[in-house]
């Protein structure tokens, strides 16, 4: 015989919220009304006398069935909507149901004044962009803690929900992603670390500063603060160990490392515009490169890029990026496009962001700090390119000397074709070293053997140019003066570098062993011409 009054008080702990409809419109087939589903997950009936529900305010009393049997569902609905839900066969618990806010709210079920089920939901709990706009309920997957948003999903039922019966998402995963660090904010008194969701399972020392354990204060479920006295201009390394998880048990598989910097005063010339692409190839993107000439670091968050000749508002660097001494950073609207065009560029030195308009006919580029302090400015024009260049499309402008004023037009020229017409995130191809100007072409070694053994497989013709914009034509002849190969029909050279011959003739065959004459003809926009005849030996 079943004696309800002998039911253990612990049976109330088996009551749980299993489904909530907070945004019933547009209806997918269910009544256009909010409801809350209660489920008895235990093996003993629960006395519902004194049942109440609250949604961030004063609890209201619920009336209806006195007992909820083990494994049974009940629907808490507004008494004015009772007729709409009677067809679903589940026991109805009636009240003046508190309104459930679409954008997030809390729901608490109390039994005789004691909270027996509570959750604080948000739109993130849907985990489905196609079903978070209304008409679908939130259903508990039956996995883990019912108060954890990672264990809820949007209903998969065609009608938008499953009131009074097993949930459509029962046993299905909802959140499989570990918490992510969204922001690290540095102030004089310490650093604040924010995650994109609540984190649990925190170890005693989750954070390291410069590889030393750092004790953190928890400000809320997502935010931590490490008290620390930071020195302006010095870069610190924050490491977050993968010893945390979200309420659904998702744990990161690797540590997080961030550079921290408390900004110092900016001096003229500390950061300069170093390279600019304003006439990209079709399908590619403009880019602006900055170079840190100073001995201290700067965080570019909040810095502004603008074209002073345009009415557009400045474009802002919205992410933290620490520019170290002697380092480069490139801003572009399409990181992947830049990497396709320049595969040697460093991905970690590229900031993807909107750029100001950079017309091909010329304009202005100005860099400001977040406080609108001028950093550097360049007024560019296509005439700053190498005068002998046939087309500027896809060719960046490079600064020749970082110590010379940005607005000096002869301090700029075209990036070398031998460097892919651009060197984003790397030293400029046209940078000239100090000392008297030199111009030469020579052979690294007069003998080479293209046999694939990894030793002198190519003939290296090293060079240095005295004038930016120097072009060269390189031809190979046999000792009888007959043409063998045309290495470079016209190459735009860097300040220094090498041109290589792999021993292949113009018809694609390997040249026979013997002596060859390498003819180099160089010329520049100032009218200087040079001819070099170099003797090389292709060894058998």
């Amino acid at each position: 015989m079943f004696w309800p009054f002998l039911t253990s008080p612990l049976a109330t702990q088996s009551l749980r919220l299993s489904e909530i409809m907070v945004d019933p419109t547009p209806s997918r087939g269910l009544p256009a009304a909010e409801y809350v589903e209660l489920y008895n997950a235990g093996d003993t009936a629960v006395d519902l006398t004194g049942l109440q529900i609250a949604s961030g305010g004063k609890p209201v009393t619920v009336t209806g069935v006195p007992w909820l049997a083990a494994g049974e569902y009940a629907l808490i609905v507004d008494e004015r909507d009772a007729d709409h839900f009677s067809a679903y066969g589940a026991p109805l618990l009636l009240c003046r149901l508190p309104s459930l806010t679409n954008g997030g709210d809390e729901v608490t079920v109390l039994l005789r004044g004691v909270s027996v089920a509570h959750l604080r939901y948000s739109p993130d709990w849907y985990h489905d962009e196609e079903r978070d706009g209304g008409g679908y309920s939130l259903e508990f997957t039956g996995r883990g803690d019912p108060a954890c948003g990672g264990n809820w999903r949007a209903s998969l039922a065609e009608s938008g929900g499953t009131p009074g019966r097993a949930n459509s998402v029962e046993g299905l995963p909802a959140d499989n992603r570990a918490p992510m660090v969204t922001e690290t904010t540095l102030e004089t008194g310490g650093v604040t670390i924010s995650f994109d969701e609540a984190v649990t399972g925190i170890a005693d020392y989750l954070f390291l500063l410069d590889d030393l354990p750092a004790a953190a204060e928890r400000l809320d479920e997502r935010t931590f603060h490490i008290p620390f006295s930071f020195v302006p201009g010095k870069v610190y390394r924050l490491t977050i160990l993968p010893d945390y998880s979200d309420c659904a048990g998702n744990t990161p598989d690797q540590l997080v490392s961030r550079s921290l910097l408390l900004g110092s005063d900016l001096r003229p010339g500390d950061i300069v515009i170093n390279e600019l692409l304003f006439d990209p190839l079709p399908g590619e993107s403009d880019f602006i490169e900055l170079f840190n000439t100073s001995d201290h670091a700067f965080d570019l968050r909040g810095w502004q890029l603008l074209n002073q000749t345009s009415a557009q508002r400045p474009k802002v660097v919205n992410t933290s990026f620490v520019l170290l001494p002697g380092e480069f950073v490139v801003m572009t609207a399409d990181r992947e496009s830049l990497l396709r065009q320049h595969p040697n560029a460093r991905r970690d030195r590229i900031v993807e962001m909107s750029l100001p308009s950079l017309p091909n006919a010329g304009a202005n580029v100005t860099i400001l700090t977040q406080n609108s302090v001028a950093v550097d400015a360049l007024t560019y024009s296509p005439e700053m390119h190498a005068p002998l260049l046939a087309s500027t499309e896809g060719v960046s402008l490079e600064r020749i000397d970082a110590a010379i004023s940005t607005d000096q037009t002869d301090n700029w020229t075209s990036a070398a074709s031998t460097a892919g017409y651009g060197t984003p995130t790397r030293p400029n191809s046209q940078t000239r070293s100090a000392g008297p100007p030199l111009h030469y072409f020579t052979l690294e070694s007069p003998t080479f053997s293209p046999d694939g053994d990894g030793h002198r497989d190519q003939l290296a013709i090293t060079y240095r140019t005295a004038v930016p914009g120097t072009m060269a034509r390189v031809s190979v002849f046999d000792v009888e003066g007959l043409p063998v190969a045309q290495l470079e029909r016209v190459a735009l050279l860097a300040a220094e570098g090498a041109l290589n011959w792999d021993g292949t003739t113009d018809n694609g065959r390997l040249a026979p062993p013997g002596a060859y004459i390498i003819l180099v003809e160089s010329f520049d926009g100032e009218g200087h011409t040079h001819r070099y005849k170099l003797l090389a030996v292709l060894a058998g």
Side-chain angles (χ1 to χ4, degrees):
M1 179 178 293
F2 176 64
W3 299 95
F5 54 85
L6 296 179
T7 301
S8 167
L10 296 178
T12 60
Q13 297 179 7
S14 64
L15 286 178
R16 72 185 187 200
L17 294 167
S18 60
E19 184 175 354
I20 55 175
M21 175 65 85
V22 302
D23 186 6
T25 57
S27 173
R28 313 292 172 171
L30 295 178
E34 297 174 350
Y35 64 84
V36 174
E37 183 182 77
L38 197 62
Y39 177 61
N40 182 356
D43 55 7
T44 306
V46 177
D47 181 0
L48 299 184
T49 303
L51 189 70
Q52 294 177 301
I53 186 169
S55 178
K58 184 178 179 180
V60 299
T61 300
V62 178
T63 61
V65 294
W67 291 86
L68 186 62
E72 187 175 26
Y73 299 90
L75 297 178
I76 304 176
V77 301
D78 192 285
E79 57 192 24
R80 294 164 293 186
D81 298 317
D83 291 343
H84 299 304
F85 287 95
S86 60
Y88 292 94
L92 298 184
L93 300 170
L94 306 178
C95 62
R96 281 300 182 102
L97 185 65
S99 178
L100 306 177
T101 306
N102 297 350
D105 209 336
E106 60 180 328
V107 179
T108 305
V109 175
L110 304 98
L111 195 57
R112 293 179 283 282
V114 177
S115 174
V116 294
H118 174 81
L119 56 83
R120 185 185 297 274
Y121 67 86
S122 73
D124 295 339
W125 286 30
Y126 286 97
H127 297 104
D128 189 335
E129 293 183 356
E130 296 182 359
R131 295 171 180 259
D132 62 4
Y136 291 95
S137 70
L138 285 168
E139 294 185 350
F140 178 51
T141 64
R143 302 160 64 123
D145 183 1
C148 172
N151 296 324
W152 289 72
R153 291 181 55 168
S155 175
L156 299 177
E158 291 185 6
S159 61
T162 55
R165 56 191 176 90
N167 289 346
S168 63
V169 300
E170 184 75 28
L172 299 179
D175 178 10
N176 292 321
R177 184 178 61 81
M180 297 177 62
V181 178
T182 56
E183 191 170 9
T184 52
T185 304
L186 187 62
E187 300 170 336
T188 304
V191 58
T192 301
I193 302 101
S194 300
F195 293 83
D196 65 345
E197 61 177 320
V199 293
T200 61
I202 301 300
D204 290 339
Y205 286 102
L206 174 66
F207 306 100
L208 305 177
L209 274 176
D210 286 347
D211 299 326
L212 296 177
E217 306 167 355
R218 182 189 278 270
L219 302 183
D220 57 42
E221 60 185 10
R222 303 182 179 201
T223 314
F224 298 83
H225 180 75
I226 302 173
F228 192 80
S229 296
F230 288 90
V231 177
K234 180 180 177 181
V235 178
Y236 298 82
R237 183 174 63 256
L238 170 68
T239 304
I240 305 174
L241 301 177
D243 296 331
Y244 58 91
S245 64
D246 58 17
C247 60
N250 297 305
T251 302
D253 56 6
Q254 58 187 0
L255 55 79
V256 175
S257 182
R258 294 283 178 90
S259 295
L260 301 177
L261 171 71
L262 190 63
S264 57
D265 293 335
L266 184 74
R267 300 168 299 187
D270 278 351
I271 306 292
V272 297
I273 299 171
N274 194 60
E275 188 173 353
L276 175 70
L277 178 64
F278 59 85
D279 184 10
L281 293 168
E284 305 297 330
S285 296
D286 300 333
F287 70 75
I288 300 170
E289 180 184 76
L290 304 182
F291 175 51
N292 185 352
T293 68
S294 74
D295 58 0
H296 44 278
F298 296 92
D299 190 344
L300 305 190
R301 178 193 291 275
W303 282 30
Q304 307 167 65
L305 285 66
L306 70 152
N307 176 357
Q308 296 278 24
T309 63
S310 168
Q312 288 184 339
R313 299 182 65 179
K315 306 300 181 182
V316 180
V317 182
N318 290 319
T319 58
S320 177
F321 185 93
V322 175
L323 184 57
L324 300 173
E327 287 282 4
F328 305 90
V329 61
V330 170
M331 287 83 160
T332 183
D334 190 339
R335 180 188 292 109
E336 298 306 320
S337 168
L338 186 145
L339 289 170
R340 285 194 301 270
Q341 190 67 23
H342 301 282
N344 292 329
R346 291 179 53 181
R347 178 181 290 272
D348 63 331
R349 299 280 99 190
I350 301 172
V351 173
E352 193 170 64
M353 60 175 290
S354 297
L355 296 185
S357 63
L358 301 175
N360 295 350
N364 167 271
V365 178
T366 297
I367 312 297
L368 304 173
T369 67
Q370 60 182 347
N371 298 321
S372 297
V373 175
V375 177
D376 200 14
L378 169 66
T379 298
Y380 68 89
S381 72
E383 285 72 29
M384 295 165 68
H385 274 292
L388 300 179
L389 195 63
S391 171
T392 64
E393 190 174 70
V395 183
S396 69
L397 270 180
E398 288 187 340
R399 190 187 192 109
I400 297 171
D401 190 336
I404 296 177
S405 176
T406 301
D407 59 9
Q408 193 164 321
T409 57
D410 60 1
N411 192 36
W412 293 86
T413 192
S414 306
S417 64
T418 54
Y421 290 115
T423 54
T425 76
R426 297 183 292 121
N428 288 350
S429 64
Q430 299 292 5
T431 297
R432 258 66 182 172
S433 55
L438 297 176
H439 188 92
Y440 62 77
F441 288 81
T442 187
L443 298 180
E444 186 177 67
S445 171
T447 303
F448 73 115
S449 54
D451 53 10
D453 66 352
H455 178 67
R456 292 183 181 171
D457 286 329
Q458 297 195 42
L459 179 71
I461 308 161
T462 60
Y463 67 85
R464 183 171 178 180
T465 61
V467 178
T470 297
M471 317 283 282
R473 182 183 297 111
V474 183
S475 307
V476 180
F477 299 87
D478 63 19
V479 291
E480 296 180 358
L482 298 176
V484 174
Q486 186 80 47
L487 300 190
E488 296 289 345
R489 298 190 182 278
V490 178
L492 175 58
L493 301 180
E496 55 187 327
L499 302 170
N500 297 303
W501 182 38
D502 62 3
T504 303
T505 67
D506 282 341
N507 60 16
R509 299 176 181 175
L510 185 64
Y516 293 89
I517 297 171
I518 312 300
L519 175 63
V520 181
E521 301 169 282
S522 70
F523 45 94
D524 59 52
E526 298 180 8
H528 303 122
T529 61
H530 300 84
R531 285 170 60 91
Y532 299 83
K533 286 186 178 181
L534 308 172
L535 182 63
V537 176
L538 193 160

